[in-house]
Amino acid sequence: MPIIRPKIKILDEEHKRLILEEAKSILEVQGVFIENQEAIEIFNEHGIKHKDLRFFLPPDLIDKCLETVPNEITLYDRDGNDHISLKEDNVYFDPGSAAIFILDENTGEIRDALSKDCIRFSKIVEQLKYIEAQSTSLIYQDVPKQAQDWHRLYIGLSNCYKPVVTGTFRKESFPIMNEILLACRNSEEDLARRPLAIFDACPSPPLMWSDLTTQSLIDSAKYMIPSEFVSMPLAGANAPITLIGSITQHCAECLAGVVIAQLTKRGAPLIWGGSPAVFDMKQGTTPMGAIETMMINIGDVEMGKFLKMPTHAYMSLSDSKIPDNQAGFEAGMGALLAGLAGINMISGPGMLDFESTQSIEKLIIDNEIVGMVKRLIRGIEDYGTPFASEILNEYSKKEELLSHPSTLKYFRKELFLPSQIIDRMTRDSWKNSGSKSARKRAKEEASKLLSRSPIKPINETLLRELDKIVKLYLK
Amino acid sequence: MSKEDFYEEMSRAVVNLDEDKALEYADKAIKENLSLLEVVEKGYAAGIRKVGELWEEGEFFLPELMRGAQIMQNCLDLLIPHLQSGSEKISRGTLVIATIEGDIHSIGKTIVGTMLRAYGYEVYDLGADVPAEKIIDIAIEKDADIIGVSALLTTTMIGQKKIVDLLKERKLVDKFKVIFGGAPVTDTWVKKCDADGFAENAIDAVKLVKSLMNK
């Protein structure tokens, strides 16, 4: 146990309370726009007042719904093993979801993604030690449009055993994706008991839950599959420019999600998350690497923790187009702050260019960043006194402490041991090994990782079953 | 247990950094009157070579490399007095090593010394901040094959050159090979000083010494 868990906080209790109160009041007075028929029926059953499609959620209903949200979610891997627990300040990373481009590490070209890229990406995620979850990372163009969401889940699970962050693009896809997940479990109850996937549910700011995303939230709730809110207020564009205003809006949008899910099924597992951003006032873009974007994320997460919910954020991304200095420092700052904030699921490693591009090189570099962040949050450990004097007494015997028993016992625990991605060579060794940049080293690592056998290959029967489902729906 | 299996066990004890077992086997080898040269070469040396390989592959880190070398050295200390003099000679060569005058950085040199000992070389480590004259005097006294000089600072590196210059002055150039170590040392510097080589790390140092001894 560390002496203290290194942390960052940017809101005090008083302001969290104020934000929550105002968010509830926004939902009561301004309401939330709902266009999904099933949600409208549920709201009507509960006698929620509305004007056309704008529903006004009473604060006591919100409070009641908050009471039944689980405080933690344990995710299980494809093979049903306990994998990660989204609770308290536990920190886990997954690559961002649904990029449309890949930065091809072999040609250096940014191009439309193909299914083979998604396969390669999944295989690499499987091998990366510090990326605990996978995501349906890429949207590829070589499957029919109507299969573009669910087919990724098949590719992901066939090539990587880690739990997956995913989502639907069409209402019709949820049953297919559910079928794919069920193939990995014994029954619906088993899938509910041992969740394998998280479904992203993305409200449309300000204060609107679209038909598609509401349906995904309702469908997931029915099967007790975790949903992750990915609300995306853009400060200064469709959300207040003040960071506190954006955090308040995000809070309202997520609270509406809590109500939809809990009215569908009490106890439905939810993750308080988002992908907010500030608006770049010159380019008109949504920088994920902006420090204010990260500040809003931390504020959003602090609200989630205030409500005792598992948390999520899109951090450790970069807006750069290539894995360069900017990509390194933006991903580094984001991952570090996310780790310090204790965000349970952090989506972003690998992503460039405002969530539009995945880069295998960046993913591999980010894995090292995440390793360092995880070291930082393990903090400084107290192994008991004396801390140094006894060890120093031994120095004179050998004039070094490298071979001291305490060094041997603790160095692997005390130090993050980086891979060759991080250059700590002498200048001569670096020169002799080809004067390579981190990007070049990452590219070489990619082919090394791709040539390795999977850590946990998929069992043949399951693969056949998944193939059968794909065949059926690809017709 | 066959002799080969026993050697394998010795090697494994070094790789597992299990000093108690390694020493116990050495003791047993002495009591059972085994050919101790073979014990060293096929048992312990095979083990330390494996440790070096694991380090080069990135599996082992410096603390493990050092520990392995020390275990090896302690086993050699136990075995050497029992080697029959004359017919069995263990030392592969003799080195005098030091960090040069004005420079107090000794850790790299200490690691190199430990590794060389583990590989069967006789090493006299004179410590840090040692004047060039003293290094040469001791090299003569110990009848060394190689002088190793370390420097971490660009300001003290010049002392490495002084060693070669002094050897030239005293007409001792042919008697010793001179090798350098330390962060600022480059191939160009070695050539400029007319030295015989330098190594980036302890394992490379062993390889360098081995190749120079074969020349």
Side-chain angles (χ1 to χ4, degrees):
Chain A
M1 284 293 284
I3 300 166
I4 53 166
R5 159 67 150 89
K7 267 186 196 179
I8 184 172
K9 287 218 175 288
I10 59 171
L11 295 173
D12 60 13
E13 296 303 295
E14 171 64 3
H15 283 85
K16 286 184 225 172
R17 201 183 52 73
L18 288 171
I19 290 167
L20 179 62
E21 287 314 310
E22 185 172 330
K24 284 200 265 187
S25 136
I26 289 171
L27 290 174
E28 185 181 26
V29 179
Q30 287 159 281
V32 58
F33 190 88
I34 301 279
E35 50 183 6
N36 174 275
Q37 202 46 48
E38 205 172 338
I40 291 171
E41 280 164 24
I42 294 170
F43 277 11
N44 285 337
E45 270 170 38
H46 284 82
I48 296 172
K49 283 189 202 144
H50 65 100
K51 192 177 172 212
D52 303 324
L53 295 179
R54 194 162 287 281
F55 287 77
F56 306 99
L57 310 179
D60 57 336
L61 175 71
I62 296 171
D63 288 339
K64 235 167 104 189
C65 287
L66 280 168
E67 275 170 25
T68 52
V69 182
N71 304 141
E72 59 178 89
I73 297 170
T74 298
L75 291 171
Y76 294 73
D77 69 14
R78 179 193 61 210
D79 308 330
N81 305 309
D82 188 334
H83 196 69
I84 50 177
S85 223
L86 311 183
K87 63 171 182 184
E88 295 156 11
D89 287 332
N90 287 357
V91 162
Y92 305 107
F93 285 80
D94 74 289
S97 290
I100 46 178
F101 300 117
I102 179 112
L103 168 57
D104 188 324
E105 76 275 17
N106 294 309
T107 63
E109 178 197 4
I110 300 166
R111 57 167 173 78
D112 285 344
L114 298 169
S115 48
K116 62 171 188 194
D117 300 312
C118 198
I119 293 173
R120 292 183 325 118
F121 200 89
S122 303
K123 284 184 171 172
I124 287 187
V125 170
E126 207 241 2
Q127 299 278 343
L128 295 179
K129 191 170 168 188
Y130 306 109
I131 311 289
E132 290 94 348
Q134 60 172 324
S135 63
T136 40
S137 54
L138 285 156
I139 303 171
Y140 38 89
Q141 305 303 321
D142 50 344
V143 290
K145 264 234 143 23
Q146 67 272 16
Q148 272 183 341
D149 47 7
W150 63 261
H151 195 272
R152 304 172 305 161
L153 185 60
Y154 157 70
I155 293 288
L157 290 173
S158 312
N159 292 290
C160 178
Y161 67 94
K162 297 176 182 179
V164 54
V165 180
T166 189
T168 56
F169 305 151
R170 294 164 69 247
K171 287 201 271 185
E172 296 78 3
S173 297
F174 183 86
I176 305 173
M177 295 172 85
N178 197 28
E179 210 172 311
I180 291 173
L181 296 173
L182 281 169
C184 306
R185 295 290 185 264
N186 302 319
S187 61
E188 281 175 10
E189 295 71 38
D190 188 23
L191 179 60
R193 198 168 56 78
R194 295 186 296 167
L196 166 60
I198 293 170
F199 278 71
D200 280 342
C202 315
S204 316
L207 303 170
M208 173 174 166
W209 275 78
S210 71
D211 185 24
L212 165 70
T213 210
T214 308
Q215 193 64 50
S216 169
L217 182 57
I218 290 175
D219 289 342
S220 301
K222 281 183 194 161
Y223 288 95
M224 294 297 271
I225 291 172
S227 276
E228 178 171 274
F229 302 145
V230 188
S231 171
M232 298 170 276
L234 304 173
N238 61 17
I241 183 68
T242 60
L243 306 190
I244 197 162
S246 255
I247 295 167
T248 306
Q249 176 181 327
H250 174 275
C251 183
E253 283 159 358
C254 289
L255 286 175
V258 168
V259 173
I260 298 168
Q262 296 305 308
L263 292 185
T264 303
K265 184 148 186 165
R266 291 287 179 185
L270 299 171
I271 300 159
W272 185 276
S275 181
V278 290
F279 205 64
D280 186 277
M281 294 303 177
K282 199 166 183 186
Q283 307 290 344
T285 50
T286 56
M288 302 310 296
I291 194 69
E292 304 84 356
T293 294
M294 300 181 202
M295 291 166 77
I296 296 174
N297 268 310
I298 299 170
D300 290 346
V301 161
E302 283 185 29
M303 290 310 298
K305 287 182 183 290
F306 188 59
L307 298 168
K308 299 194 168 50
M309 285 176 64
T311 54
H312 160 268
Y314 256 87
M315 290 175 88
S316 69
L317 300 86
S318 173
D319 305 314
S320 179
K321 313 302 177 273
I322 51 169
D324 59 359
N325 278 349
Q326 183 182 339
F329 82 73
E330 287 179 345
M333 289 200 306
L336 186 65
L337 289 172
L340 288 172
I343 305 175
N344 301 142
M345 183 61 84
I346 303 154
S347 305
M351 281 202 132
L352 291 168
D353 193 7
F354 319 104
E355 301 183 8
S356 74
T357 304
Q358 287 285 12
S359 157
I360 285 177
E361 293 150 306
K362 178 175 182 286
L363 178 68
I364 289 172
I365 295 169
D366 290 350
N367 180 56
E368 298 294 318
I369 294 175
V370 171
M372 286 198 196
V373 168
K374 287 181 168 262
R375 172 62 192 95
L376 171 78
I377 60 181
R378 276 201 289 118
I380 290 187
E381 189 153 337
D382 173 356
Y383 294 97
T385 52
F387 301 132
S389 58
E390 251 175 34
I391 296 172
L392 291 176
N393 272 338
E394 307 267 313
Y395 182 82
S396 55
K397 285 189 200 157
K398 289 174 182 160
E399 296 204 330
E400 50 88 14
L401 291 172
L402 278 167
S403 61
H404 190 274
S406 66
T407 310
L408 272 166
K409 187 171 174 193
Y410 293 121
F411 85 93
R412 283 175 188 271
K413 189 177 169 200
E414 286 285 287
L415 306 178
F416 165 68
L417 302 169
S419 79
Q420 310 239 346
I421 300 302
I422 308 293
D423 170 31
R424 292 182 182 171
M425 286 184 270
T426 62
R427 192 183 55 252
D428 276 316
S429 307
W430 174 77
K431 230 164 128 183
N432 293 337
S433 59
S435 308
K436 289 169 200 157
S437 66
R439 183 178 177 184
K440 183 83 196 299
R441 293 192 293 273
K443 181 187 163 183
E444 289 177 0
E445 181 71 7
S447 50
K448 231 187 279 170
L449 292 176
L450 285 169
S451 69
R452 278 193 203 155
S453 321
I455 297 170
K456 291 187 185 177
I458 186 166
N459 130 339
E460 281 299 319
T461 322
L462 175 58
L463 185 60
R464 271 200 301 276
E465 210 166 318
L466 294 180
D467 285 340
K468 229 162 63 190
I469 298 171
V470 171
K471 232 181 191 167
L472 180 69
Y473 292 106
L474 261 190
K475 259 196 259 172
Chain B
M1 199 191 298
S2 76
K3 254 198 317 196
E4 265 60 38
D5 287 345
F6 191 34
Y7 296 151
E8 177 64 34
E9 287 293 313
M10 291 168 183
S11 162
R12 198 170 299 141
V14 176
V15 175
N16 292 341
L17 309 180
D18 188 340
E19 183 162 33
D20 291 347
K21 271 231 169 80
L23 289 170
E24 181 193 316
Y25 294 150
D27 198 45
K28 199 171 161 201
I30 295 164
K31 283 189 180 129
E32 292 183 5
N33 269 326
L34 296 181
S35 154
L36 298 185
L37 262 188
E38 222 175 275
V39 163
V40 170
E41 189 45 44
K42 294 188 176 168
Y44 296 101
I48 196 67
R49 276 196 296 272
K50 178 74 190 161
V51 169
E53 279 165 32
L54 287 169
W55 180 77
E56 284 184 313
E57 286 160 14
E59 287 286 315
F60 267 19
F61 291 82
L62 282 176
E64 285 137 346
L65 187 67
M66 283 294 277
R67 189 70 195 120
Q70 284 174 356
I71 291 170
M72 175 77 185
Q73 202 182 314
N74 292 341
C75 291
L76 287 178
D77 288 350
L78 194 66
L79 292 165
I80 285 170
H82 296 273
L83 288 169
Q84 295 151 19
S85 53
S87 62
E88 289 187 339
K89 189 168 179 295
I90 186 101
S91 176
R92 296 166 197 276
T94 302
L95 289 98
V96 166
I97 64 170
T99 302
I100 199 67
E101 186 169 19
D103 202 326
I104 44 89
H105 301 90
S106 66
I107 189 78
K109 179 249 332 144
T110 307
I111 298 171
V112 168
T114 307
M115 282 318 291
L116 285 167
R117 281 196 196 101
Y119 276 81
Y121 296 95
E122 205 169 327
V123 179
Y124 296 91
D125 183 344
L126 310 185
D129 192 13
V130 188
E133 293 80 0
K134 186 176 169 195
I135 297 174
I136 293 173
D137 288 346
I138 293 181
I140 295 167
E141 183 192 319
K142 300 295 176 191
D143 193 20
D145 302 293
I146 297 175
I147 295 172
V149 202
S150 169
L152 188 83
L153 308 172
T154 47
T155 49
T156 54
M157 274 170 87
I158 194 71
Q160 292 179 320
K161 188 167 185 295
K162 193 174 168 192
I163 293 272
V164 184
D165 292 346
L166 273 176
L167 287 175
K168 283 179 186 167
E169 222 178 279
R170 292 166 69 172
K171 309 222 173 340
L172 290 167
V173 173
D174 295 336
K175 188 160 169 46
F176 307 107
K177 301 265 197 281
V178 180
I179 59 174
F180 293 169
V185 176
T186 61
D187 209 24
T188 324
W189 176 242
V190 170
K191 285 191 182 118
K192 194 174 168 189
C193 299
D194 281 336
D196 296 287
F198 84 107
E200 276 285 333
N201 56 57
I203 292 290
D204 283 354
V206 172
K207 288 178 188 166
L208 172 67
V209 166
K210 202 169 160 191
S211 82
L212 288 176
M213 289 304 295
N214 288 337
K215 270 186 186 168

